[in-house]
């Protein structure tokens, strides 16, 4: 299954999943993530996860669901 499909199945919207894929590819921005519906705290943690300076616990604290969203996001953004 493609990364975007995994992200949607985990509970994210299609737009949010696409922006995470774009972030991994280096073509997204904080503004694009916010426009996709992520909060500022979530945007900060997504960018930090991509940079390798976040953790699953921090993603959960930012409001992502630990059950499916966090492991899927982390798997798609961790370098």
């Amino acid at each position: 299954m493609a990364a975007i499909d995994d992200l949607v199945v985990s509970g994210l919207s299609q737009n949010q999943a696409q922006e995470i894929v774009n972030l991994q590819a280096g073509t997204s921005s904080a503004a694009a993530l916010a426009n996709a519906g992520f909060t500022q705290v979530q945007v900060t943690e997504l960018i930090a996860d991509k940079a390798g300076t976040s953790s699953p616990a921090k993603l959960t604290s930012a409001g992502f669901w630990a059950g499916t969203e966090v492991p899927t996001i982390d798997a798609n953004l961790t370098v």
Side-chain angles (χ1 to χ4, degrees):
M1 191 180 297
I4 195 163
D5 294 334
D6 290 341
L7 290 161
V8 170
V9 168
S10 80
L12 299 174
S13 73
Q14 183 74 29
N15 288 339
Q16 290 173 326
Q18 184 62 59
E19 285 309 319
I20 289 176
V21 169
N22 292 349
L23 179 63
Q24 178 58 25
T27 60
S28 188
S29 64
L33 290 164
N35 285 337
F38 293 113
T39 67
Q40 187 57 47
V41 172
Q42 290 173 327
V43 168
T44 300
E45 286 310 318
L46 288 169
I47 292 169
D49 198 47
K50 167 84 168 84
T53 59
S54 188
S55 67
K58 289 181 180 180
L59 288 170
T60 301
S61 293
F64 292 106
W65 186 42
T68 57
E69 290 177 350
V70 169
T72 307
I73 290 168
D74 197 46
N76 280 283
L77 288 181
T78 301
V79 264

